[in-house]
Amino acid sequence: MSFLKIENVTKSYGSLEVLHRVDIDVEEGEFLVLVGPSGCGKSTLLNMIAGLEEISSGEMSIKGKVMNGVHPSKRNIAMVFQSYALYPNMTVAQNITFGLEMHHVPKPEREAAMNRVADMLQIKPLLSRKPGQLSGGQRQRVAMGRALVRNPDVFLFDEPLSNLDAKLRVDMRTEIKKLHQRLGTTIVYVTHDQIEAMTLSTRIAVMNGGYIQQLGTPKQIYDNPANIFVASFMGSPSMNMLPATLRLNGADASVEITDAQGQPVHLPVPVSPDAARLYDGRSVILGIRPEAVTDPDGADKNATTVVHLRNLVDIIEPAGSDTFITTTMAGGDVIGRMRADADVAPGQVCDLALNMDKAVLFDVESQIRIQ
């Protein structure tokens, strides 16, 4: 039985349905990230798990117990908010133990729990301070400590790092990952940042328009996107999308695109069990990640199908460990990721290596993956 089960859940405001028949099973100890653009329904779903929003239809259960209609205080969940939600007139120690005090936990137990999480989060020197005397990162650690001290069934994180600067976000990501590995707790985490989703999760639910677009491991989501939205949203830079024409020759398949000079180029693509849905001359969208468009020396040595072609480079963007290039294919911009020391310059025709093992095809109309 799933530890947290969300079954056919919807959310409506009047006649407007904003969350549509969501089905997710979360196992004990799993780190599930809900990711998607603003307004996709991820925070609404998190609030329904917490009991802060009512479920319009469907069922949600924790450890086999149905939570529909159960008050938030009775759900044994702990939530970390984007805004920290700390009491400004209380010290760090009082903020951490306030929930335990409200549940009439004896003082020695409260202090022992506080010291345990203070050591874990390295905030012991801050216990006598008030929130106004803390940095953003310190406040977020205190908010996490307030959640950890309770030993709940499920931790809920609502965009906890969005108010932090870039370096601090990376540091806090590492801390949250360490905590999960150390404690083995069940976490549901909301973010709009796909890097957070990829680095933190054991599984990701990609959401858009109130629907779950795809549910899977980070590798499944990245390598085998279910549709164009998932392919474009997950990855930085996002997957290149090229209009193409399918060409079939017996058991072999390729796609025809144009290079920077408008000349046709044929790129082989693997034939999958979906081959029956493919036909010669069909218009498709070819998806290929930037790291699969690189310089010959940077190409994956284990790839079985690497196509070499010469193409004009329009822009280069040195990024320290990599050099990103922009070239033109199929009448649009294509981003490639090359080695930092790749010999390339704007306006130069250079050798490119395309790893077609990583290519995927999408239907033009439905935008669903077909290959």
Side-chain angles (χ1 to χ4, degrees):
M1 180 181 292
S2 301
F3 192 78
L4 167 64
K5 189 174 185 65
I6 301 167
E7 190 172 15
N8 208 24
V9 162
T10 69
K11 178 63 181 177
S12 300
Y13 296 101
S15 60
L16 178 64
E17 187 172 278
V18 297
L19 211 58
H20 315 287
R21 300 186 179 280
V22 173
D23 285 292
I24 304 175
D25 289 346
V26 183
E27 299 302 324
E28 186 171 8
E30 191 170 6
F31 197 130
L32 175 72
V33 174
L34 308 176
V35 66
S38 297
C40 71
K42 57 188 184 295
S43 289
T44 299
L45 180 57
L46 194 78
N47 288 336
M48 291 163 74
I49 298 172
L52 303 177
E53 294 267 9
E54 291 185 2
I55 295 172
S56 299
S57 66
E59 190 173 279
M60 196 272 290
S61 60
I62 298 176
K63 295 171 69 174
K65 180 182 177 182
V66 176
M67 291 289 124
N68 296 44
V70 175
H71 192 271
S73 64
K74 306 295 183 184
R75 296 191 179 208
N76 196 28
I77 55 96
M79 194 162 182
V80 179
F81 295 92
Q82 176 182 357
S83 60
Y84 317 131
L86 301 176
Y87 295 106
N89 59 324
M90 293 184 182
T91 64
V92 167
Q94 290 167 333
N95 266 284
I96 290 174
T97 59
F98 181 71
L100 297 179
E101 188 175 350
M102 291 298 97
H103 284 83
H104 307 294
V105 174
K107 186 174 181 180
E109 290 183 32
R110 297 201 306 264
E111 291 185 348
M114 178 190 67
N115 287 324
R116 173 176 56 84
V117 300
D119 285 334
M120 190 185 306
L121 296 170
Q122 299 178 1
I123 55 174
K124 215 156 193 178
L126 310 178
L127 291 176
S128 61
R129 298 188 193 177
K130 292 188 176 179
Q133 299 171 295
L134 306 179
S135 68
Q138 290 170 334
R139 291 181 196 180
Q140 194 54 273
R141 286 173 186 263
V142 175
M144 288 168 57
R146 184 179 55 190
L148 289 166
V149 79
R150 291 189 46 215
N151 194 29
D153 292 328
V154 182
F155 287 100
L156 306 178
F157 288 80
D158 188 8
E159 303 207 43
L161 309 184
S162 60
N163 288 335
L164 306 180
D165 62 53
K167 183 182 183 307
L168 199 48
R169 278 203 304 273
V170 174
D171 293 343
M172 290 302 297
R173 269 205 324 255
T174 302
E175 290 302 317
I176 292 172
K177 187 88 170 182
K178 285 179 180 177
L179 277 172
H180 180 249
Q181 291 174 347
R182 187 183 307 149
L183 301 175
T185 50
T186 306
I187 295 175
V188 181
Y189 186 106
V190 161
T191 183
H192 63 272
D193 185 330
Q194 48 89 19
I195 300 296
E196 274 182 39
M198 293 289 291
T199 55
L200 286 173
S201 66
T202 54
R203 279 197 306 160
I204 299 170
V206 184
M207 300 184 66
N208 190 39
Y211 291 94
I212 301 290
Q213 301 289 321
Q214 188 172 358
L215 177 64
T217 66
K219 182 173 176 56
Q220 289 169 340
I221 296 286
Y222 190 79
D223 290 344
N224 302 294
N227 54 44
I228 287 179
F229 173 80
V230 175
S232 300
F233 191 81
M234 301 302 293
S236 180
S238 64
M239 181 179 277
N240 297 299
M241 298 293 173
L242 291 70
T245 303
L246 186 69
R247 299 300 181 195
L248 298 180
N249 182 17
D252 297 326
S254 65
V255 288
E256 181 181 309
I257 62 169
T258 55
D259 63 14
Q261 286 74 41
Q263 298 301 309
V265 175
H266 290 84
L267 305 173
V269 290
V271 177
S272 75
D274 288 332
R277 302 170 58 189
L278 307 177
Y279 57 86
D280 188 66
R282 176 177 178 173
S283 294
V284 294
I285 301 294
L286 169 68
I288 187 165
R289 296 279 182 195
E291 60 268 24
V293 181
T294 187
D295 57 286
D297 289 338
D300 184 354
K301 300 300 186 286
N302 296 318
T304 59
T305 309
V306 176
V307 176
H308 295 267
L309 61 88
R310 290 178 62 78
N311 214 46
L312 180 69
V313 173
D314 301 315
I315 297 171
I316 66 165
E317 297 177 80
S321 58
D322 303 293
T323 296
F324 291 98
I325 65 157
T326 302
T327 185
T328 301
M329 294 183 198
D333 289 343
V334 170
I335 296 175
R337 175 180 279 159
M338 296 190 164
R339 293 170 301 120
D341 58 354
D343 185 16
V344 60
Q348 170 187 331
V349 175
C350 72
D351 292 320
L352 299 177
L354 277 62
N355 181 359
M356 298 308 295
D357 291 357
K358 300 294 186 180
V360 292
L361 299 182
F362 300 97
D363 180 72
V364 174
E365 294 184 4
S366 69
Q367 301 197 344
I368 294 173
R369 182 178 175 178
I370 55 173
Q371 179 80 323

